[in-house]
């Protein structure tokens, strides 16, 4: 057998550069297991050492009619050998399990990208459900992309045939066949997935073996089919990272761990009162598995009962925590006012979603900033913090606990559907580097006179556990008399107490860090000011534009209320200010109100995160 070798020249190598990052989207019916497939591909990618960011995108309906456009579930992952901060603008690879998945997602695929389609699902019935008059795999409508047609359904049935499964059960394994092919495409190890399947189906070993067989068959297909054209292997080198222990973490997991860490730093047991709502429910699920850290979880009968139980726990001397999304926060509003009036610590997590009303339950938005800062009856000030990424939610949760316990106030922590569900690598922190902030309960009255609404230098009132001998005091929602806490309706007293509550919260600005410039310098032509999950696309866009020589800078705000003390002077150092938000301009309005700066909005309320290209285009327009 003759063979020949050809040494690749530098010129040839340069014409086919190894990509630094790849974006893959798995899409199919909500019963096809796309979230599970994406999650396991994420695990294998993390173990390969790549940096990554994910974007699960699923339908609002619990089980939409199979094969319909409403029922499409997708999972996107961006992974690479360099720093990855977003789930990617446009997929390089789209794996479409049926016509509806193709129709819903193909428009976002990169020009020249690869479509892998399960042609076994492109029958007349499924095509009609997706509003296709002709099969797109058989005409030229997909000419802009590379198309690989595989009968994944039939190949899966053949792979699991020895295990005697019924047709319906056998086809449930096709997500594992697809995962096996994806693992081959990017040189991923199958063993962690095999171990996971054996664990998941420990009580049903036949199902474990069938799924493993499908996984191996998909991988073997890539190895042995001698596929031509677009189907090829890609090697993405590991990303350089600082030494340490890493794990993937979602925003819901990160918040849960941060709340527990905060309670430990405060020296308090934690009570979580919650009610199921998308996308906040996962926090209750995670915390319920952390009982060994003195965490009590309670699923209440409704949102009002959930927050009322958390306030009661705080009154009793625990750290009260509750969480919800926009509609549930609206229901909790009166009770939030009660926590402000009684001046008890309480952490409220708001995982924002599209609104108003029920709105877009599974889509992301940032439209609750007004609700967080202003949304209560009366003058009811409350600190507000916003996490910028899944990993950042850990530190934000600790900060929320710190402010709440050190200032005797409820605190709202804002995330959103993207942060709650997305995953990224997280370097597990050394908790010895976090300064404790232990709580001190008042156990006796100074000079024998109990003043439960007296103040320290931070305007914080004492925290008194009920049942402490000689420390009986009145609690409730009616206005308090200065110092004594007795009921008082006098005009002057209400003015004074309103001022005290406001000044206590505003005074928190003396106990939070000054605002920094995330990327760039203090002063210049254009500042891009963001908050929350817009961090990734803003940061990447500013980095790219600065590399092209543009005078643009990135400021990202964690403390939404009160704002950092230096922020006003910092913003006035820029000629122009642009505020990208997934709402109609809420932070923009707050900045204009507080600092009289000409902040301009860049708004998006599609239920999808910003793309880097959208912010780049806005920067170019702003710079003229």
């Amino acid at each position: 057998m003759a063979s020949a070798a050809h040494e690749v020249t530098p010129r040839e190598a340069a014409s086919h550069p190894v990509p630094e990052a790849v974006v893959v989207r798995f899409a199919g019916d909500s019963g096809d297991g796309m979230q599970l497939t994406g999650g396991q591909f994420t695990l294998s990618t993390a173990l390969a050492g790549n940096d990554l960011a994910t974007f699960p995108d699923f339908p609002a309906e619990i089980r939409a009619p199979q094969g319909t456009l409403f029922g499409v579930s997708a999972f996107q992952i961006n992974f690479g050998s360099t720093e990855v901060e977003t789930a990617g603008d446009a997929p390089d690879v789209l794996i479409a399990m049926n016509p509806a998945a193709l129709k819903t997602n193909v428009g976002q695929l990169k020009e020249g990208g690869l479509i892998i389609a399960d042609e076994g699902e492109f029958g007349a019935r499924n095509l009609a459900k997706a509003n296709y008059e002709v099969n797109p795999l058989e005409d030229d409508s997909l000419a802009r992309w590379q198309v690989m047609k595989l009968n994944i359904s039939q190949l899966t049935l053949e792979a699991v045939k020895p295990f005697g499964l019924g047709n319906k059960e056998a086809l449930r394994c096709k997500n594992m066949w697809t995962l096996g092919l994806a693992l081959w495409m990017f040189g991923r190890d199958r063993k962690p997935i095999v171990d996971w399947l054996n664990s998941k189906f420990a009580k049903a070993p036949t199902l474990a073996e069938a799924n493993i067989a499908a996984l191996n068959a998909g991988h073997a297909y890539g190895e042995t089919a001698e596929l031509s054209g677009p189907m090829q292997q890609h090697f993405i080198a590991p990303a350089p990272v600082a030494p340490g222990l890493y794990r993937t973490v979602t925003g819901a997991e990160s918040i849960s761990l941060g709340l527990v860490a905060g309670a430990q730093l405060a020296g308090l047991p934690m009570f979580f009162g919650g009610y199921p709502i998308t996308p906040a429910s996962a926090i209750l699920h995670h915390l319920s598995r952390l009982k060994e850290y003195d965490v009590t979880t309670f699923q209440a009968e409704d949102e009002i009962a959930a927050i009322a139980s958390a306030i009661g726990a705080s009154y009793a001397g625990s750290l009260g925590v509750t969480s919800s999304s926009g509609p549930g926060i609206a229901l909790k509003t009166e009770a939030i006012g009660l926590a402000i009036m009684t001046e008890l610590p309480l952490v409220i997590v708001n995982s924002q979603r599209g609104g108003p009303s029920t709105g877009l339950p599974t889509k992301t938005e940032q439209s609750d900033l007004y609700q967080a800062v202003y949304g209560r009856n009366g003058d009811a000030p409350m600190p507000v913090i916003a996490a910028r990424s899944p990993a950042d939610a850990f530190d934000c949760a600790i900060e929320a606990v710190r402010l709440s316990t050190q200032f005797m106030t409820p605190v709202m922590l804002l995330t959103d559907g993207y942060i709650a569900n997305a995953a990224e690598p997280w370097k597990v922190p050394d908790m010895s580097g976090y300064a404790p902030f232990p709580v001190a309960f008042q156990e006796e009255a100074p000079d024998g006179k109990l003043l439960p609404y007296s103040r320290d230098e931070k305007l914080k009132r004492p925290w008194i556990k009920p049942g402490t001998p000689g420390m009986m005091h009145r609690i409730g929602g009616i206005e308090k008399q200065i110092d004594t806490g007795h009921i008082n309706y006098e005009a002057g007293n209400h003015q004074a107490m309103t001022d005290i509550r406001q000044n206590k919260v505003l005074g928190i600005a003396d106990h939070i860090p000054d605002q920094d410039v995330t990327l760039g310098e203090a002063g210049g032509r254009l500042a891009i000011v963001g908050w929350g999950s817009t961090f990734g696309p803003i940061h990447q866009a500013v980095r790219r534009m600065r590399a092209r020589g543009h005078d643009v800078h990135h400021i990202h705000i964690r403390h939404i209320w009160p704002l950092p003390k230096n922020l006003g002077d910092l913003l006035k150092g820029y000629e122009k200010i642009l505020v990208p938000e997934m709402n109609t301009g809420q932070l923009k309005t707050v900045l204009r109100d507080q600092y009289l700066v000409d902040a301009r909005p860049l708004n998006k309320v599609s239920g999808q995160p910003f793309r880097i290209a959208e912010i780049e285009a806005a920067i170019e327009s702003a710079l003229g």
Side-chain angles (χ1 to χ4, degrees):
M1 180 177 66
S3 63
H6 170 67
E7 185 173 338
V8 178
T9 67
R11 184 174 181 179
E12 289 172 327
S15 66
H16 296 87
V18 177
E20 291 185 339
V22 172
V23 181
V24 177
R25 180 177 294 186
F26 300 90
D29 193 76
S30 58
D32 285 337
M34 293 296 95
Q35 303 304 320
L36 185 147
T37 303
Q40 292 305 305
F41 188 80
T42 298
L43 171 64
S44 69
T45 299
L47 292 172
N50 297 128
D51 197 11
L52 63 92
T54 70
F55 176 44
D57 189 13
F58 38 83
E61 289 76 13
I62 294 173
R63 190 68 179 92
Q66 190 170 1
T68 62
L69 298 172
F70 291 107
V72 174
S73 178
F75 186 101
Q76 182 165 306
I77 176 171
N78 182 13
F79 58 98
S81 56
T82 58
E83 188 176 9
V84 170
E85 290 170 333
T86 77
D89 276 14
D92 298 286
V93 180
L94 170 63
I95 300 174
M97 304 299 285
N98 63 16
L102 178 67
K103 184 150 198 173
T104 304
N105 292 279
V106 72
Q108 299 172 52
L109 186 63
K110 188 176 294 182
E111 191 86 18
L114 171 62
I115 298 169
I116 301 174
D118 180 7
E119 63 178 343
E121 291 293 319
F122 279 69
R125 187 178 179 189
N126 279 346
L127 288 168
K129 288 180 181 179
N131 298 327
Y132 277 120
E133 294 182 3
V134 295
N135 189 340
L137 302 181
E138 296 175 355
D139 61 13
D140 61 353
S141 61
L142 303 178
R144 295 162 50 197
W145 302 285
Q146 306 173 77
V147 180
M148 178 64 65
K149 299 180 290 184
L150 304 174
N151 196 331
I152 296 174
S153 297
Q154 185 60 41
L155 291 166
T156 302
L157 291 174
E158 293 172 2
V160 303
K161 188 175 182 180
F163 302 98
L165 301 180
N167 201 61
K168 187 175 181 180
E169 273 192 319
L171 285 174
R172 286 178 180 162
C173 300
K174 67 181 183 178
N175 64 328
M176 286 296 109
W177 194 100
T178 305
L179 178 58
L181 181 65
L183 295 177
W184 170 81
M185 282 186 68
F186 298 101
R188 300 284 182 257
D189 185 7
R190 281 166 288 163
K191 186 177 184 305
I193 315 301
V194 171
D195 292 342
W196 175 79
L197 287 167
N198 281 322
S199 174
K200 179 177 176 63
F201 296 109
K203 295 181 180 180
T206 301
L207 290 179
E209 291 172 9
N211 277 280
I212 292 168
L215 179 81
N216 290 334
H219 194 278
Y221 190 87
E223 286 181 312
T224 61
E226 297 184 4
L227 300 171
S228 60
M231 181 68 77
Q232 55 186 292
Q233 278 193 296
H234 303 268
F235 177 73
I236 306 296
V241 295
L245 175 64
Y246 287 81
R247 58 162 290 186
T248 58
V249 68
T250 66
E253 290 171 328
S254 183
I255 283 173
S256 302
L257 294 170
L259 289 169
V260 173
Q264 297 281 309
L265 291 168
L268 293 171
M270 189 176 95
F271 177 92
F272 180 91
Y275 181 75
I277 184 171
T278 303
S281 301
I283 297 173
L284 172 59
H285 302 161
H286 293 304
L287 286 173
S288 67
R289 295 192 285 266
L290 298 172
K291 293 182 176 66
E292 66 269 30
Y293 296 103
D294 210 359
V295 175
T296 300
T297 52
F298 169 56
Q299 181 174 314
E301 65 268 29
D302 56 41
E303 295 282 8
I304 298 170
I307 187 171
S309 66
I311 293 172
S314 289
Y315 176 56
S318 294
L319 172 66
V321 181
T322 190
S323 83
S324 192
S325 189
I329 298 295
L331 290 168
K332 295 178 190 288
T333 299
E334 183 181 0
I336 294 173
L338 174 63
I340 291 170
M341 177 63 81
T342 56
E343 298 185 59
L344 287 168
L346 178 70
V347 176
I348 306 142
V349 182
N350 182 354
S351 302
Q352 301 166 95
R353 70 189 205 186
S357 187
T358 309
L360 305 175
T362 61
K363 307 302 180 183
T364 195
E365 208 163 274
Q366 291 181 299
S367 52
D368 296 350
L369 186 142
Y370 285 162
Q371 184 184 41
V373 176
Y374 305 119
R376 291 162 294 283
N377 65 294
D379 285 297
M382 179 173 66
V384 180
I385 299 168
R388 73 186 193 185
S389 70
D392 183 56
F394 177 81
D395 286 324
C396 288
I398 292 176
E399 177 70 346
V401 174
R402 182 183 76 86
L403 296 182
S404 183
T405 56
Q406 295 300 295
F407 289 86
M408 293 292 285
T409 179
V411 175
M412 187 170 288
L413 172 55
L414 295 174
T415 69
D416 57 39
Y418 174 68
I419 290 176
N421 296 318
E424 66 179 353
W426 176 53
K427 185 179 179 182
V428 179
D430 179 0
M431 292 308 297
S432 65
Y434 288 77
F437 40 87
V439 165
F441 293 96
Q442 185 169 308
E443 297 181 347
E444 58 183 27
D447 303 321
K449 186 176 182 181
L450 176 60
L451 298 173
Y453 279 81
S454 60
R455 307 287 165 174
D456 65 7
E457 68 282 356
K458 294 189 285 190
L459 298 181
K460 180 190 75 171
R461 81 171 185 91
W463 195 355
I464 304 170
K465 287 186 183 180
T468 304
M471 303 293 284
M472 185 182 297
H473 62 287
R474 184 174 280 107
I475 202 83
I478 297 178
E479 183 62 278
K480 306 288 179 285
Q481 183 176 316
I482 293 174
D483 291 339
T484 67
H486 298 328
I487 293 173
N488 189 303
Y489 299 109
E490 295 176 3
N493 182 83
H494 179 57
Q495 177 75 58
M497 287 297 288
T498 300
D499 291 342
I500 288 170
R501 289 188 291 264
Q502 180 185 42
N503 290 331
K504 179 178 74 169
V505 171
L506 293 177
I508 289 174
D510 294 326
H511 301 270
I512 61 175
D514 281 349
Q515 181 63 50
D516 62 352
V517 180
T518 310
L519 182 60
E521 295 80 42
R525 283 196 65 196
L526 175 64
I528 309 298
V529 181
W531 67 280
S533 66
T534 56
F535 175 84
I538 292 175
H539 204 64
Q540 290 280 25
V542 171
R543 178 182 292 151
R544 292 179 185 179
M545 298 302 283
R546 287 177 62 84
R548 298 177 204 164
H550 293 286
D551 185 4
V552 59
H553 314 266
H554 179 197
I555 295 171
H556 216 78
I557 302 173
R558 169 183 283 184
H559 292 88
I560 303 296
W561 195 264
L563 292 160
K565 291 176 66 175
N566 68 322
L567 182 59
D569 290 338
L570 183 62
L571 294 179
K572 289 173 182 176
Y574 300 97
E575 295 176 23
K576 295 183 178 182
I577 298 167
L578 182 68
V579 186
E581 299 180 81
M582 291 185 290
N583 58 44
T584 55
Q586 297 185 16
L587 178 65
K588 172 268 300 178
T589 302
V590 172
L591 296 179
R592 284 181 174 182
D593 169 61
Q594 293 296 304
Y595 305 122
L596 301 179
V597 294
D598 186 20
R600 297 299 178 94
L602 174 62
N603 304 134
K604 182 175 183 177
V605 284
S606 65
Q608 301 291 321
F610 272 104
R611 291 185 292 115
I612 301 169
E614 291 172 330
I615 297 177
E616 285 184 296
I619 292 172
E620 288 183 341
S621 176
L623 292 174

